[in-house]
Amino acid sequence: MRRNALLAFATAALVASGLAVTTARAAESEHSLEHQRWSFDGLFGTIDQAAAQRGFQVYKEVCAACHSLSLVAYRNLGAIGIGEDQIKAIAAQYNVMDGPNDAGDMFERPAKPSDKFVAPFANANAARAANNGALPPDLSLIVKAREGGPDYVYGVLTGFVPPPAGVTVPDGMYYNAAFPGHQIAMPPPLSDGSVTYADGTEASVHQEAHDVVTFLEWTAEPELDARKKMGVKVILFLIVLTGLAYAVKRKVWKDIH
Ligand code: HEC
């Protein structure tokens, strides 16, 4: 009897923690965003590395023209399974300002794996000037920074639709179903075939959006995978410990009754 009660308690605790994670996410989305299936959903979810790598390609070839990713260093890409040599080659495609050298001058050099992602614009004013006065936000934490998280970012990327009758959108603005206020200064960044995936995945707008959001989930919470794996281990350990403690208790008390 007692053993059953214990087991039931442990199971209930597990289920409850799983539910808490899911409902926390659900409560965040307000704009009736369609929930997508994410590899990182739920208690046992992890970042799908192949999707994250494809998403990095989308970021690098499309989004990086306007959006910085200032909290991520090139070497961090190792965590989504990109090899060291490839990381070196990626970093070397960019130039960073370094210095001062012995003569007191600043100088440009190719980026190293330890450098943070090089931003597309020198400063916020330059970024605004190139984007019709609007500032493309840094994307490192965007998935965490917005209500609705991954579903919201996916919603913005796939939400460019013709405005409803009677709504006029000013020059340089675009109608977007998911963006609050529905007028966004970002031109639709994705189209079918914006990138060519090396693994042969078909690059539809939905696929590209899904992949880049998986990548941005990782940049926003790079330690998520490790934390979830540790959490599962801890819970397994506690269940085993509970069983052991119970067995010991029975043995110790056997003769005393
Ligand atoms: C041509 C430049 C440009 C490109 C390319 C671009 N963006 Fe943007 N993006 C902007 C600008 C400008 C804004 C600010 C819009 C505003 O505030 O109206 C923005 C805003 C956003 C937002 C923020 C919405 C919010 O809630 O504030 C997200 C998310 C976003 N972009 C993601 C992306 C992703 C992902 C890509 C690549 C697939 C991308 N963008 C490509 C210019 C761009």
Side-chain angles (χ1 to χ4, degrees), residues 131-154:
N131 284 284
N132 209 9
L135 181 68
D138 186 89
L139 293 184
S140 317
L141 299 175
I142 196 83
V143 172
K144 293 280 148 201
R146 293 291 183 271
E147 240 178 82
D151 292 331
Y152 168 74
V153 177
Y154 178 89

Side-chain angles (χ1 to χ4, degrees), residues 80-127:
I80 54 168
I82 297 183
E84 227 171 282
D85 292 341
Q86 214 184 332
I87 291 176
K88 272 190 195 143
I90 292 167
Q93 295 169 4
Y94 301 88
N95 278 325
V96 291
M97 202 46 110
D98 202 351
N101 61 13
D102 292 346
D105 298 322
M106 302 300 283
F107 60 94
E108 272 199 357
R109 60 160 174 82
K112 293 183 284 203
S114 55
D115 285 311
K116 294 278 166 65
F117 272 49
V118 174
F121 299 105
N123 51 57
N125 289 2

Side-chain angles (χ1 to χ4, degrees), residues 199-239:
D199 63 6
T201 304
E202 196 190 324
S204 64
V205 169
H206 290 268
Q207 183 70 45
E208 292 161 0
H210 205 275
D211 290 341
V212 79
V213 171
T214 302
F215 172 67
L216 293 175
E217 167 79 18
W218 168 72
T219 66
E221 212 169 353
E223 71 301 332
L224 177 84
D225 272 13
R227 230 180 41 218
K228 279 190 178 168
K229 281 180 194 146
M230 178 55 84
V232 170
K233 276 189 214 155
V234 166
I235 288 174
L236 284 178
F237 171 77
L238 287 177
I239 291 173

Side-chain angles (χ1 to χ4, degrees), residues 58-59 62-67 121 127 130-137 139 142 146 152-153 156-157 173 179-180 183-190 208-209 212-213 216:
V58 175
Y59 168 76
V62 183
C63 324
C66 301
H67 292 276
F121 299 105
N131 284 284
N132 209 9
L135 181 68
L139 293 184
I142 196 83
R146 293 291 183 271
Y152 168 74
V153 177
V156 168
L157 294 175
M173 298 297 274
F179 190 66
Q183 295 193 11
I184 191 167
M186 168 166 72
L190 298 174
E208 292 161 0
V212 79
V213 171
L216 293 175

